[in-house]
């Protein structure tokens, strides 16, 4: 992500997923995703790719 428009595209792609809330941090180059159910990492990565971006790594916090 290089601009606020990129940030918005990623957030919108993830927020379109059922029971998902995402917040992209442009300065930190990261996205935080909250889900009501267990997160489907593959679906999240695919949504980011479909938005035109490359997911680089995943960390999980509880």
């Amino acid at each position: 992500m290089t601009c606020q428009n990129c940030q918005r595209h990623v957030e919108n792609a993830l927020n379109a997923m059922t029971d998902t809330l995402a917040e992209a941090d442009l300065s930190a180059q990261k996205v935080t995703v909250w889900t009501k159910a267990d997160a489907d990492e593959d679906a999240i990565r695919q949504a980011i790719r479909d938005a035109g971006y490359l997911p680089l790594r995943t960390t999980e916090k509880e």
Side-chain angles (χ1 to χ4, degrees), residues 1 6 10 13-14 17 24 29-33 40-59:
M1 298 181 297
C6 299
V10 171
L14 294 170
M17 298 173 65
Q29 293 288 300
K30 73 175 190 174
V31 179
T32 303
V33 180
D40 182 347
E41 184 178 335
D42 291 333
I44 291 169
R45 288 176 163 280
Q46 189 60 50
I48 293 170
R49 283 188 201 98
D50 290 347
Y53 302 92
L54 179 64
L56 297 178
R57 67 183 153 155
T58 303
T59 58

Side-chain angles (χ1 to χ4, degrees), residues 7-18:
Q7 176 183 355
R8 202 168 23 255
H9 278 126
V10 171
E11 286 176 342
N12 288 343
L14 294 170
N15 289 332
M17 298 173 65
T18 304

